[in-house]
Amino acid sequence: MRPQLLSIEVTRLDAGRARLRLTGDLDFDTAPELVDAAVRARADGCHELTIDLGGVGLCDSSGLSAFVVLSQGGAGPVRLTGVGARLQQLLDRTGLAELLAVEQPAVDAVDDVREVG
């Protein structure tokens, strides 16, 4: 199976905040793209970053490392949203769930997913 390329959509939310919406695979080849996009957003004055992972199909150790690099950069908080069950397991097993701000889905959203699935 061919790896899926990563696309990153950056949206400025308000003064000092931006959302990076990822679609594709976050791996050894694409993790540097995430770090670069975050660095550019911060250079543009966005110090609080929300990384929306709802469209990520695969995240390997390089992706996890990119989260750590961004959160330890000292330039402002990083919040992860749209974290799927598999990625949440990786974050839990590695202890990164305690280090990173991971936004849990609302209870209603979880119930809606269960009804559809």
Side-chain angles (χ1 to χ4, degrees):
M1 183 160 77
R2 271 179 63 197
Q4 187 177 2
L5 298 177
L6 183 69
S7 68
I8 303 171
E9 176 188 331
V10 180
T11 305
R12 183 179 281 272
L13 300 174
D14 56 30
R17 293 183 10 174
R19 176 180 57 237
L20 286 72
R21 181 171 294 161
L22 281 57
T23 305
D25 291 345
L26 185 57
D27 58 17
F28 179 80
D29 294 322
T30 61
E33 296 175 37
L34 171 59
V35 173
D36 290 344
V39 167
R40 284 193 305 275
R42 286 187 166 152
D44 288 341
C46 297
H47 299 290
E48 291 186 36
L49 302 178
T50 299
I51 302 174
D52 182 348
L53 301 165
V56 172
L58 170 117
C59 180
D60 70 5
S61 61
S62 297
L64 297 179
S65 178
F67 300 148
V68 172
V69 167
L70 295 177
S71 70
Q72 299 297 311
V78 175
R79 177 181 303 116
L80 304 180
T81 64
V83 175
R86 205 173 248 186
L87 179 53
Q88 185 64 54
Q89 279 185 325
L90 280 174
L91 294 170
D92 290 340
R93 286 182 181 174
T94 59
L96 291 176
E98 296 175 17
L99 174 68
L100 303 170
V102 180
E103 187 175 296
Q104 300 300 320
V107 173
D108 292 340
V110 172
D111 290 342
D112 291 345
V113 171
R114 286 185 191 147
E115 289 177 12
V116 173

